[in-house]
Amino acid sequence: MSGNKIQPPEYFIWETHGIHAGTGNDHVKHGVDELEKITEQAIAKGHPNISFIIHTPRLTRFRYAAEKRLDVKFIRGDNAYFNYPKKIEKLKEKYGNEISIKYGIELEWLGADLGLQWNRSKIFQAQNADFVIGSLHFSKEGIPYDGSQEEADQLIKLRGGVENYWLGYIEELIEMVDCSWEMIQIVGHLDLPKLFAPIPQALLELDTSDHILARRMRFLLEMISEYNLALDVNLAGINKGCGIYPHQSILQRAKQLDIPISLGTDTHSIQNLGNHFERGIKFAYEVGYKHYLSFSKTIPEKRPLRNSGFKEEKYKVMNLGIEMLNLRFEDRKQRRIPKFSFGGEFRTFLEHHKNATSLGDFEAIRIRKGNKSVTISNSVPENSSSKTSGLLSHHRDDPGVLSMIFNALASEEINVETAYLNTNNDGTATAFLTLSGDENAIKEAVEFVRGTGGDSFIEIRVGDNFDIPELQKGKNYLLEVDGVNLPIAISKQMILSIHNNSSGVLLILLSALASQNINIKDLKLGQRGNKGYAILGIEESSNSVSEVLKKLGPQFFETTHLQLGSEGV
């Protein structure tokens, strides 16, 4: 297909609960099997993104009436579910240059015993999913909330009335969130039972009612807030005649608790692609939301509900920073939204981000969580015009060449304090280092490189009157890590190292990369006290990097392989 030249629609949602993938050869069709067809349709409509989702397989006790009639026991079984990530990867290979493709799973809550263990296995089977929605469709009695009016009436009768019907649902959701919060990012369609049973008045009066339903719903929302989960604003109820999930009163309470939202049509047919986007955006905006979340590899991305006053490019910078910071944390902490400081033109974000602080005229966003932070910008950092002493090397742009320099310096007990490395796009690279140590020892190291480097070095010398080299050009720039100045153009694959600030330590990292034939394309060093900081831009397709970083030793306090997928790179 040709490149996407069509103007994106005015109202567009980067969906989370998006288009349900089909079940292939399973006996009951559920969703879209023609993934290529609907992807091409999204491209034709000018959509910048398409999000697919699939239900996890269920225990056989949890079946809809239609499935029981057909004796379907393994609905959405392993074959369709297991092959789902592979299908998405093929789509990305074919259409990835024309549209962003994301995918996730809808994790069926089936109880806290076997159901919980079952769900843990399903998480592992959906490799590299962008998001996981935790949803409750079936009661603990095995009767669905969203099956049919007859099934709902059966459960209402079994529980002794509509209020107990709803109360059981809320209690099961509380159990789901409490047991599953580390596995999911979003809580799905919070008031699903209204499809076949009227929503009780107590849930429409959440701020004032002392009814047990209101109290339990308030508690549920507080749990969602405390566990840093997002709430699914689900547009499927529009087509079903019960309205958007959740009801406005519930969403208003969520906004008071600062619970983020994600949006989606939860559609199961091609005909509903992109339907109701405008209505969903206006619904959330009227409650007071100004932005929502999408997800990439379970890491949240912020997006504006309305582009007026919020340029999409500014959000791309912020999402890039969120991704870079979150990759520094273990999985369970990655989905948590960090805190922000905004400066320059980014200060327009201040009024819409709770507890955000100002950076004044500094054109940047600082994103922080605990004792870690990154500061990024889409403006080129100012370069120092002062002259300085150091070592200049013009050499072949090949793996291992830079480590020769660091090896020679370490042999003379010379420490590298700051470094700049620029690839010249002609097969050569230029490095500039500032050093601490005996001048004669530095000269000895340089002579050693000249004598042993063969034709790898075109020029290498030390001097007192060098200009600080200009940064490589990039779309966005990292300015600081944990407050340490490390200006560098952001590339798709980078390594962040925080290590013991002594001679020879960084050589370990450079040698490890050279051993795997990994070339360094950009490098910046910084320091604070006994800690050295390094940020490296490396060549792409370096699959062995993460394994190498695990072997560096105790002198490395943090080493993070930043494989960045954000639009801001």
Side-chain angles (χ1 to χ4, degrees):
M1 294 186 65
S2 60
N4 182 8
K5 304 294 184 182
I6 301 173
Q7 184 71 20
E10 180 182 359
Y11 291 95
F12 180 77
I13 294 171
W14 287 68
E15 295 190 88
T16 302
H17 207 150
I19 299 100
H20 275 270
T23 54
N25 294 325
D26 286 349
H27 292 80
V28 176
K29 183 177 174 64
H30 186 94
V32 178
D33 289 321
E34 306 86 356
L35 301 188
E36 283 200 27
K37 183 177 179 181
I38 198 167
T39 301
E40 291 177 355
Q41 184 172 320
I43 293 171
K45 288 187 172 186
H47 291 187
N49 167 259
I50 187 168
S51 294
F52 291 101
I53 185 169
I54 194 170
H55 286 270
T56 55
R58 301 192 300 265
L59 299 171
T60 57
R61 183 166 69 85
F62 298 93
R63 286 182 290 169
Y64 293 100
E67 294 165 355
K68 291 177 181 178
R69 285 195 301 270
L70 294 171
D71 197 28
V72 177
K73 293 184 178 179
F74 300 102
I75 182 64
R76 297 189 265 292
D78 277 353
N79 187 46
Y81 183 70
F82 235 156
N83 289 324
Y84 169 56
K86 299 173 187 175
K87 288 183 178 180
I88 298 297
E89 285 307 308
K90 289 181 179 178
L91 278 183
K92 288 182 177 180
E93 290 174 7
K94 186 170 183 178
Y95 299 104
N97 292 330
E98 299 178 80
I99 190 170
S100 169
I101 301 172
K102 297 189 177 185
Y103 75 101
I105 61 174
E106 188 169 5
L107 195 65
E108 300 267 11
W109 179 244
L110 306 173
D113 296 321
L114 173 59
L116 180 60
Q117 311 319 318
W118 175 269
N119 280 353
R120 290 188 189 281
S121 73
K122 301 311 159 194
I123 291 286
F124 280 105
Q125 289 177 10
Q127 290 295 317
N128 298 317
D130 289 303
F131 54 87
V132 180
I133 300 176
S135 290
L136 174 61
H137 296 91
F138 283 82
S139 68
K140 62 183 179 181
E141 294 87 349
I143 301 171
Y145 289 102
D146 64 338
S148 65
Q149 187 65 59
E150 292 74 22
E151 287 167 309
D153 290 343
Q154 179 188 358
L155 187 54
I156 290 170
K157 183 178 180 180
L158 187 64
R159 289 184 174 177
V162 171
E163 286 189 355
N164 284 339
Y165 174 78
W166 275 90
L167 184 61
Y169 174 78
I170 295 171
E171 293 295 348
E172 289 169 77
L173 272 181
I174 289 172
E175 181 184 67
M176 181 193 81
V177 172
D178 194 39
C179 293
S180 305
W181 67 272
E182 290 188 290
M183 294 189 285
I184 66 177
Q185 288 75 54
I186 309 104
V187 179
H189 36 60
L190 204 66
D191 55 355
L192 182 67
K194 71 184 181 184
L195 180 59
F196 295 117
I199 187 166
Q201 189 64 29
L203 298 183
L204 305 180
E205 301 171 350
L206 277 182
D207 284 343
T208 57
S209 176
D210 64 352
H211 193 282
I212 183 63
L213 287 176
R215 299 202 306 269
R216 299 309 286 164
M217 179 60 79
R218 289 194 292 260
F219 179 75
L220 171 60
L221 289 169
E222 288 163 7
M223 284 184 71
I224 293 170
S225 174
E226 289 302 313
Y227 285 140
N228 293 286
L229 301 175
L231 198 60
D232 174 32
V233 175
N234 189 304
L235 310 182
I238 297 174
N239 293 332
K240 296 178 179 179
C242 63
I244 295 172
Y245 308 108
H247 189 275
Q248 189 178 54
S249 62
I250 297 174
L251 194 60
Q252 285 173 337
R253 184 74 177 186
K255 181 67 177 69
Q256 292 170 13
L257 292 167
D258 205 32
I259 296 173
I261 58 171
S262 61
L263 294 96
T265 53
D266 189 5
T267 184
H268 297 67
S269 68
I270 290 179
Q271 289 72 25
N272 290 327
L273 175 67
N275 283 2
H276 309 305
F277 278 2
E278 180 177 355
R279 185 169 169 183
I281 288 169
K282 288 182 176 179
F283 178 78
Y285 195 85
E286 287 168 0
V287 171
Y289 283 94
K290 299 298 187 293
H291 48 75
Y292 66 99
L293 300 184
S294 60
F295 293 84
S296 179
K297 305 303 181 193
T298 73
I299 293 175
E301 306 166 323
K302 286 201 171 187
R303 299 195 178 275
L305 274 171
R306 294 186 173 182
N307 287 329
S308 176
F310 293 92
K311 294 181 180 179
E312 184 70 23
E313 289 303 314
K314 301 294 184 188
Y315 269 86
K316 290 179 182 178
V317 177
M318 181 165 59
N319 287 333
L320 177 59
I322 292 172
E323 182 181 15
M324 294 186 76
L325 179 64
N326 277 330
L327 286 172
R328 298 178 62 191
F329 288 88
E330 59 185 8
D331 289 348
R332 61 181 293 183
K333 295 182 180 179
Q334 284 188 359
R335 66 173 170 271
R336 297 187 178 184
I337 293 290
K339 296 179 180 179
F340 301 93
S341 299
F342 301 106
E345 291 186 7
F346 293 104
R347 278 182 292 181
T348 55
F349 284 119
L350 280 171
E351 62 181 299
H352 301 306
H353 287 77
K354 192 174 181 179
N355 300 323
T357 56
S358 173
L359 295 175
D361 292 333
F362 184 34
E363 188 72 20
I365 303 175
R366 180 170 295 135
I367 302 121
R368 59 193 191 279
K369 188 188 299 187
N371 63 350
K372 298 181 179 181
S373 69
V374 297
T375 305
I376 68 171
S377 178
N378 57 357
S379 297
V380 182
E382 290 186 6
N383 213 6
S384 171
S385 58
S386 60
K387 304 285 186 177
T388 188
S389 302
L391 181 154
L392 179 71
S393 172
H394 184 203
H395 53 262
R396 290 177 58 177
D397 189 14
D398 292 331
V401 176
L402 191 65
S403 67
M404 292 185 197
I405 302 174
F406 277 75
N407 185 73
L409 293 169
S411 72
E412 298 292 341
E413 302 180 48
I414 304 301
N415 193 31
V416 181
E417 294 182 332
T418 61
Y420 294 79
L421 175 67
N422 287 331
T423 182
N424 298 319
N425 298 314
D426 60 359
T428 69
T430 302
F432 176 76
L433 316 177
T434 63
L435 312 169
S436 63
D438 180 77
E439 288 187 17
N440 290 328
I442 293 173
K443 291 178 181 177
E444 286 287 337
V446 170
E447 288 302 317
F448 183 80
V449 172
R450 286 196 186 113
T452 61
D455 61 355
S456 293
F457 291 87
I458 301 162
E459 177 187 17
I460 182 168
R461 60 191 174 93
V462 291
D464 297 323
N465 204 28
F466 290 116
D467 290 314
I468 299 291
E470 292 186 359
L471 297 181
Q472 291 192 41
K473 300 301 181 184
K475 193 174 181 180
N476 291 300
Y477 297 87
L478 176 68
L479 306 182
E480 300 170 349
V481 173
D482 302 344
V484 174
N485 191 41
L486 286 173
I488 190 171
I490 297 173
S491 56
K492 286 187 178 296
Q493 290 217 37
M494 308 183 81
I495 295 173
L496 169 64
S497 170
I498 303 175
H499 49 268
N500 192 313
N501 186 28
S502 59
S503 57
V505 175
L506 193 60
L507 174 62
I508 299 172
L509 173 59
L510 299 182
S511 300
L513 295 176
S515 72
Q516 300 299 314
N517 206 37
I518 297 168
N519 197 22
I520 301 165
K521 308 299 289 185
D522 203 353
L523 170 67
K524 294 294 176 295
L525 300 185
Q527 58 181 309
R528 183 167 58 217
N530 67 343
K531 288 184 178 180
Y533 288 73
I535 184 77
L536 297 77
I538 61 174
E539 286 184 334
E540 294 184 44
S541 303
S542 302
N543 297 324
S544 57
V545 173
S546 296
E547 289 302 314
V548 168
L549 297 184
K550 296 175 183 177
K551 304 174 183 178
L552 296 179
Q555 290 177 298
F556 287 82
F557 311 130
E558 177 186 344
T559 51
T560 303
H561 183 198
L562 299 168
Q563 293 179 286
L564 300 170
S566 173
E567 304 157 81
V569 180

